[in-house]
Amino acid sequence: MSMARAAEPAGIAAGINQIEGYLLLQTERDAARERARRLTARLDWLTSAQRAEVERLYLQDQLAVTEQTLRKVVRRCEELRAEYQEVYRTLSRRLLLVCLLGAAALAGGFAAALTVR
């Protein structure tokens, strides 16, 4: 998710994601149709009905493969998001600890400097 997308309300971001998904699917559907047409164009012995059936089956198969692939990508993105969130939490805790230790060291140094005088 981009920085601009992260600042949007969840409903708007979800709507944009749905639109992007729809457009991606339509683009893939058009590309699969074109691939099916190119395939059947090479099979000049097919009747019109056979050609239409081969194109329909090819399109159906290609869309199933696309759906599988997209589900795998989404699953991996979710895994990466969880991993990165855990790394971020760990780094945030470490930074907070370093800041607290640094502040304690400074306070101790000031206290020591004041007692020496």
Side-chain angles (χ1 to χ4, degrees), residues 79-99:
E79 290 170 358
L80 287 172
R81 180 182 304 132
E83 289 174 26
Y84 289 146
Q85 286 174 340
E86 184 57 33
V87 167
Y88 176 79
R89 280 191 289 273
T90 300
L91 291 174
S92 293
R93 280 186 239 128
R94 286 180 185 169
L95 180 61
L96 177 61
L97 179 62
V98 166
C99 289

PDB file of all heavy atoms in Angstrom, residues 79-99:
ATOM      1  N   GLU A  79       1.550 -12.433   4.083  1.00  0.00           N
ATOM      2  CA  GLU A  79       2.659 -12.980   4.878  1.00  0.00           C
ATOM      3  C   GLU A  79       3.756 -11.936   5.043  1.00  0.00           C
ATOM      4  O   GLU A  79       4.281 -11.743   6.149  1.00  0.00           O
ATOM      5  CB  GLU A  79       3.237 -14.222   4.202  1.00  0.00           C
ATOM      6  CG  GLU A  79       2.329 -15.429   4.217  1.00  0.00           C
ATOM      7  CD  GLU A  79       2.831 -16.557   3.321  1.00  0.00           C
ATOM      8  OE1 GLU A  79       3.881 -16.391   2.659  1.00  0.00           O
ATOM      9  OE2 GLU A  79       2.164 -17.611   3.287  1.00  0.00           O
ATOM     10  N   LEU A  80       4.113 -11.264   3.955  1.00  0.00           N
ATOM     11  CA  LEU A  80       5.166 -10.246   4.023  1.00  0.00           C
ATOM     12  C   LEU A  80       4.755  -9.082   4.912  1.00  0.00           C
ATOM     13  O   LEU A  80       5.570  -8.561   5.679  1.00  0.00           O
ATOM     14  CB  LEU A  80       5.519  -9.746   2.616  1.00  0.00           C
ATOM     15  CG  LEU A  80       6.311 -10.718   1.758  1.00  0.00           C
ATOM     16  CD1 LEU A  80       6.435 -10.183   0.338  1.00  0.00           C
ATOM     17  CD2 LEU A  80       7.680 -10.984   2.348  1.00  0.00           C
ATOM     18  N   ARG A  81       3.494  -8.673   4.806  1.00  0.00           N
ATOM     19  CA  ARG A  81       3.014  -7.576   5.655  1.00  0.00           C
ATOM     20  C   ARG A  81       3.164  -7.951   7.129  1.00  0.00           C
ATOM     21  O   ARG A  81       3.651  -7.151   7.936  1.00  0.00           O
ATOM     22  CB  ARG A  81       1.555  -7.247   5.353  1.00  0.00           C
ATOM     23  CG  ARG A  81       1.036  -6.098   6.227  1.00  0.00           C
ATOM     24  CD  ARG A  81      -0.424  -5.770   6.005  1.00  0.00           C
ATOM     25  NE  ARG A  81      -0.684  -5.467   4.628  1.00  0.00           N
ATOM     26  CZ  ARG A  81      -1.691  -5.999   3.931  1.00  0.00           C
ATOM     27  NH1 ARG A  81      -2.519  -6.849   4.505  1.00  0.00           N
ATOM     28  NH2 ARG A  81      -1.891  -5.661   2.684  1.00  0.00           N
ATOM     29  N   ALA A  82       2.773  -9.176   7.478  1.00  0.00           N
ATOM     30  CA  ALA A  82       2.893  -9.621   8.869  1.00  0.00           C
ATOM     31  C   ALA A  82       4.357  -9.654   9.296  1.00  0.00           C
ATOM     32  O   ALA A  82       4.693  -9.220  10.414  1.00  0.00           O
ATOM     33  CB  ALA A  82       2.248 -10.992   9.033  1.00  0.00           C
ATOM     34  N   GLU A  83       5.232 -10.152   8.422  1.00  0.00           N
ATOM     35  CA  GLU A  83       6.658 -10.192   8.750  1.00  0.00           C
ATOM     36  C   GLU A  83       7.216  -8.792   8.950  1.00  0.00           C
ATOM     37  O   GLU A  83       7.942  -8.532   9.921  1.00  0.00           O
ATOM     38  CB  GLU A  83       7.440 -10.888   7.634  1.00  0.00           C
ATOM     39  CG  GLU A  83       7.212 -12.386   7.557  1.00  0.00           C
ATOM     40  CD  GLU A  83       7.898 -13.022   6.358  1.00  0.00           C
ATOM     41  OE1 GLU A  83       8.910 -12.460   5.875  1.00  0.00           O
ATOM     42  OE2 GLU A  83       7.425 -14.080   5.910  1.00  0.00           O
ATOM     43  N   TYR A  84       6.892  -7.874   8.056  1.00  0.00           N
ATOM     44  CA  TYR A  84       7.402  -6.509   8.152  1.00  0.00           C
ATOM     45  C   TYR A  84       6.844  -5.795   9.375  1.00  0.00           C
ATOM     46  O   TYR A  84       7.548  -5.011  10.021  1.00  0.00           O
ATOM     47  CB  TYR A  84       7.105  -5.715   6.887  1.00  0.00           C
ATOM     48  CG  TYR A  84       7.919  -6.157   5.688  1.00  0.00           C
ATOM     49  CD1 TYR A  84       7.381  -6.116   4.415  1.00  0.00           C
ATOM     50  CD2 TYR A  84       9.218  -6.620   5.825  1.00  0.00           C
ATOM     51  CE1 TYR A  84       8.121  -6.521   3.306  1.00  0.00           C
ATOM     52  CE2 TYR A  84       9.959  -7.024   4.732  1.00  0.00           C
ATOM     53  CZ  TYR A  84       9.409  -6.973   3.473  1.00  0.00           C
ATOM     54  OH  TYR A  84      10.133  -7.366   2.396  1.00  0.00           O
ATOM     55  N   GLN A  85       5.579  -6.057   9.713  1.00  0.00           N
ATOM     56  CA  GLN A  85       5.011  -5.435  10.904  1.00  0.00           C
ATOM     57  C   GLN A  85       5.737  -5.913  12.157  1.00  0.00           C
ATOM     58  O   GLN A  85       5.996  -5.132  13.068  1.00  0.00           O
ATOM     59  CB  GLN A  85       3.510  -5.730  11.005  1.00  0.00           C
ATOM     60  CG  GLN A  85       2.689  -4.932  10.019  1.00  0.00           C
ATOM     61  CD  GLN A  85       1.226  -5.316  10.009  1.00  0.00           C
ATOM     62  OE1 GLN A  85       0.839  -6.400  10.440  1.00  0.00           O
ATOM     63  NE2 GLN A  85       0.388  -4.427   9.487  1.00  0.00           N
ATOM     64  N   GLU A  86       6.074  -7.198  12.195  1.00  0.00           N
ATOM     65  CA  GLU A  86       6.808  -7.736  13.351  1.00  0.00           C
ATOM     66  C   GLU A  86       8.204  -7.128  13.431  1.00  0.00           C
ATOM     67  O   GLU A  86       8.667  -6.751  14.509  1.00  0.00           O
ATOM     68  CB  GLU A  86       6.876  -9.261  13.284  1.00  0.00           C
ATOM     69  CG  GLU A  86       7.545  -9.880  14.488  1.00  0.00           C
ATOM     70  CD  GLU A  86       6.882  -9.511  15.809  1.00  0.00           C
ATOM     71  OE1 GLU A  86       5.646  -9.335  15.857  1.00  0.00           O
ATOM     72  OE2 GLU A  86       7.617  -9.377  16.804  1.00  0.00           O
ATOM     73  N   VAL A  87       8.885  -7.008  12.300  1.00  0.00           N
ATOM     74  CA  VAL A  87      10.208  -6.383  12.284  1.00  0.00           C
ATOM     75  C   VAL A  87      10.102  -4.931  12.741  1.00  0.00           C
ATOM     76  O   VAL A  87      10.921  -4.455  13.544  1.00  0.00           O
ATOM     77  CB  VAL A  87      10.841  -6.470  10.869  1.00  0.00           C
ATOM     78  CG1 VAL A  87      12.056  -5.567  10.753  1.00  0.00           C
ATOM     79  CG2 VAL A  87      11.199  -7.913  10.543  1.00  0.00           C
ATOM     80  N   TYR A  88       9.080  -4.217  12.272  1.00  0.00           N
ATOM     81  CA  TYR A  88       8.879  -2.818  12.669  1.00  0.00           C
ATOM     82  C   TYR A  88       8.662  -2.714  14.179  1.00  0.00           C
ATOM     83  O   TYR A  88       9.244  -1.856  14.844  1.00  0.00           O
ATOM     84  CB  TYR A  88       7.693  -2.228  11.909  1.00  0.00           C
ATOM     85  CG  TYR A  88       7.352  -0.827  12.329  1.00  0.00           C
ATOM     86  CD1 TYR A  88       8.096   0.253  11.862  1.00  0.00           C
ATOM     87  CD2 TYR A  88       6.299  -0.581  13.201  1.00  0.00           C
ATOM     88  CE1 TYR A  88       7.796   1.551  12.258  1.00  0.00           C
ATOM     89  CE2 TYR A  88       5.995   0.705  13.602  1.00  0.00           C
ATOM     90  CZ  TYR A  88       6.740   1.763  13.129  1.00  0.00           C
ATOM     91  OH  TYR A  88       6.446   3.031  13.526  1.00  0.00           O
ATOM     92  N   ARG A  89       7.812  -3.606  14.726  1.00  0.00           N
ATOM     93  CA  ARG A  89       7.565  -3.576  16.177  1.00  0.00           C
ATOM     94  C   ARG A  89       8.850  -3.842  16.956  1.00  0.00           C
ATOM     95  O   ARG A  89       9.131  -3.169  17.948  1.00  0.00           O
ATOM     96  CB  ARG A  89       6.490  -4.597  16.554  1.00  0.00           C
ATOM     97  CG  ARG A  89       5.073  -4.133  16.286  1.00  0.00           C
ATOM     98  CD  ARG A  89       4.053  -5.062  16.925  1.00  0.00           C
ATOM     99  NE  ARG A  89       3.967  -6.342  16.257  1.00  0.00           N
ATOM    100  CZ  ARG A  89       3.189  -6.597  15.207  1.00  0.00           C
ATOM    101  NH1 ARG A  89       2.435  -5.651  14.708  1.00  0.00           N
ATOM    102  NH2 ARG A  89       3.160  -7.800  14.671  1.00  0.00           N
ATOM    103  N   THR A  90       9.632  -4.807  16.501  1.00  0.00           N
ATOM    104  CA  THR A  90      10.895  -5.132  17.164  1.00  0.00           C
ATOM    105  C   THR A  90      11.847  -3.937  17.120  1.00  0.00           C
ATOM    106  O   THR A  90      12.448  -3.574  18.141  1.00  0.00           O
ATOM    107  CB  THR A  90      11.548  -6.369  16.501  1.00  0.00           C
ATOM    108  OG1 THR A  90      10.649  -7.474  16.610  1.00  0.00           O
ATOM    109  CG2 THR A  90      12.870  -6.712  17.147  1.00  0.00           C
ATOM    110  N   LEU A  91      11.987  -3.341  15.941  1.00  0.00           N
ATOM    111  CA  LEU A  91      12.879  -2.178  15.816  1.00  0.00           C
ATOM    112  C   LEU A  91      12.380  -1.002  16.647  1.00  0.00           C
ATOM    113  O   LEU A  91      13.182  -0.281  17.258  1.00  0.00           O
ATOM    114  CB  LEU A  91      13.028  -1.776  14.351  1.00  0.00           C
ATOM    115  CG  LEU A  91      13.801  -2.763  13.478  1.00  0.00           C
ATOM    116  CD1 LEU A  91      13.752  -2.319  12.015  1.00  0.00           C
ATOM    117  CD2 LEU A  91      15.236  -2.909  13.953  1.00  0.00           C
ATOM    118  N   SER A  92      11.081  -0.798  16.698  1.00  0.00           N
ATOM    119  CA  SER A  92      10.521   0.297  17.504  1.00  0.00           C
ATOM    120  C   SER A  92      10.827   0.085  18.983  1.00  0.00           C
ATOM    121  O   SER A  92      11.201   1.030  19.689  1.00  0.00           O
ATOM    122  CB  SER A  92       9.008   0.384  17.304  1.00  0.00           C
ATOM    123  OG  SER A  92       8.709   0.768  15.993  1.00  0.00           O
ATOM    124  N   ARG A  93      10.664  -1.159  19.446  1.00  0.00           N
ATOM    125  CA  ARG A  93      10.976  -1.455  20.849  1.00  0.00           C
ATOM    126  C   ARG A  93      12.452  -1.216  21.140  1.00  0.00           C
ATOM    127  O   ARG A  93      12.806  -0.650  22.174  1.00  0.00           O
ATOM    128  CB  ARG A  93      10.598  -2.899  21.186  1.00  0.00           C
ATOM    129  CG  ARG A  93       9.120  -3.062  21.452  1.00  0.00           C
ATOM    130  CD  ARG A  93       8.801  -4.479  21.920  1.00  0.00           C
ATOM    131  NE  ARG A  93       7.860  -4.993  20.948  1.00  0.00           N
ATOM    132  CZ  ARG A  93       7.967  -6.140  20.293  1.00  0.00           C
ATOM    133  NH1 ARG A  93       8.952  -6.951  20.521  1.00  0.00           N
ATOM    134  NH2 ARG A  93       7.064  -6.489  19.407  1.00  0.00           N
ATOM    135  N   ARG A  94      13.303  -1.659  20.234  1.00  0.00           N
ATOM    136  CA  ARG A  94      14.751  -1.465  20.434  1.00  0.00           C
ATOM    137  C   ARG A  94      15.099   0.017  20.458  1.00  0.00           C
ATOM    138  O   ARG A  94      15.910   0.463  21.278  1.00  0.00           O
ATOM    139  CB  ARG A  94      15.537  -2.167  19.333  1.00  0.00           C
ATOM    140  CG  ARG A  94      15.559  -3.659  19.473  1.00  0.00           C
ATOM    141  CD  ARG A  94      16.346  -4.297  18.370  1.00  0.00           C
ATOM    142  NE  ARG A  94      16.274  -5.754  18.450  1.00  0.00           N
ATOM    143  CZ  ARG A  94      16.696  -6.560  17.506  1.00  0.00           C
ATOM    144  NH1 ARG A  94      17.238  -6.080  16.408  1.00  0.00           N
ATOM    145  NH2 ARG A  94      16.582  -7.865  17.647  1.00  0.00           N
ATOM    146  N   LEU A  95      14.525   0.780  19.551  1.00  0.00           N
ATOM    147  CA  LEU A  95      14.798   2.216  19.515  1.00  0.00           C
ATOM    148  C   LEU A  95      14.332   2.889  20.798  1.00  0.00           C
ATOM    149  O   LEU A  95      15.041   3.728  21.360  1.00  0.00           O
ATOM    150  CB  LEU A  95      14.124   2.847  18.297  1.00  0.00           C
ATOM    151  CG  LEU A  95      14.319   4.350  18.122  1.00  0.00           C
ATOM    152  CD1 LEU A  95      15.813   4.674  17.960  1.00  0.00           C
ATOM    153  CD2 LEU A  95      13.531   4.855  16.925  1.00  0.00           C
ATOM    154  N   LEU A  96      13.141   2.507  21.261  1.00  0.00           N
ATOM    155  CA  LEU A  96      12.635   3.070  22.513  1.00  0.00           C
ATOM    156  C   LEU A  96      13.573   2.728  23.666  1.00  0.00           C
ATOM    157  O   LEU A  96      13.903   3.588  24.495  1.00  0.00           O
ATOM    158  CB  LEU A  96      11.220   2.549  22.792  1.00  0.00           C
ATOM    159  CG  LEU A  96      10.591   3.013  24.103  1.00  0.00           C
ATOM    160  CD1 LEU A  96      10.454   4.538  24.126  1.00  0.00           C
ATOM    161  CD2 LEU A  96       9.244   2.346  24.308  1.00  0.00           C
ATOM    162  N   LEU A  97      14.038   1.488  23.716  1.00  0.00           N
ATOM    163  CA  LEU A  97      14.955   1.065  24.769  1.00  0.00           C
ATOM    164  C   LEU A  97      16.255   1.862  24.714  1.00  0.00           C
ATOM    165  O   LEU A  97      16.750   2.338  25.747  1.00  0.00           O
ATOM    166  CB  LEU A  97      15.242  -0.436  24.652  1.00  0.00           C
ATOM    167  CG  LEU A  97      16.195  -1.023  25.679  1.00  0.00           C
ATOM    168  CD1 LEU A  97      15.638  -0.871  27.091  1.00  0.00           C
ATOM    169  CD2 LEU A  97      16.474  -2.484  25.365  1.00  0.00           C
ATOM    170  N   VAL A  98      16.802   2.041  23.512  1.00  0.00           N
ATOM    171  CA  VAL A  98      18.043   2.814  23.356  1.00  0.00           C
ATOM    172  C   VAL A  98      17.817   4.261  23.807  1.00  0.00           C
ATOM    173  O   VAL A  98      18.664   4.842  24.511  1.00  0.00           O
ATOM    174  CB  VAL A  98      18.552   2.748  21.894  1.00  0.00           C
ATOM    175  CG1 VAL A  98      19.618   3.797  21.625  1.00  0.00           C
ATOM    176  CG2 VAL A  98      19.066   1.354  21.579  1.00  0.00           C
ATOM    177  N   CYS A  99      16.692   4.847  23.434  1.00  0.00           N
ATOM    178  CA  CYS A  99      16.396   6.229  23.848  1.00  0.00           C
ATOM    179  C   CYS A  99      16.269   6.326  25.369  1.00  0.00           C
ATOM    180  O   CYS A  99      16.785   7.278  25.992  1.00  0.00           O
ATOM    181  CB  CYS A  99      15.122   6.729  23.177  1.00  0.00           C
ATOM    182  SG  CYS A  99      15.324   7.041  21.419  1.00  0.00           S
TER     183      CYS A  99
END
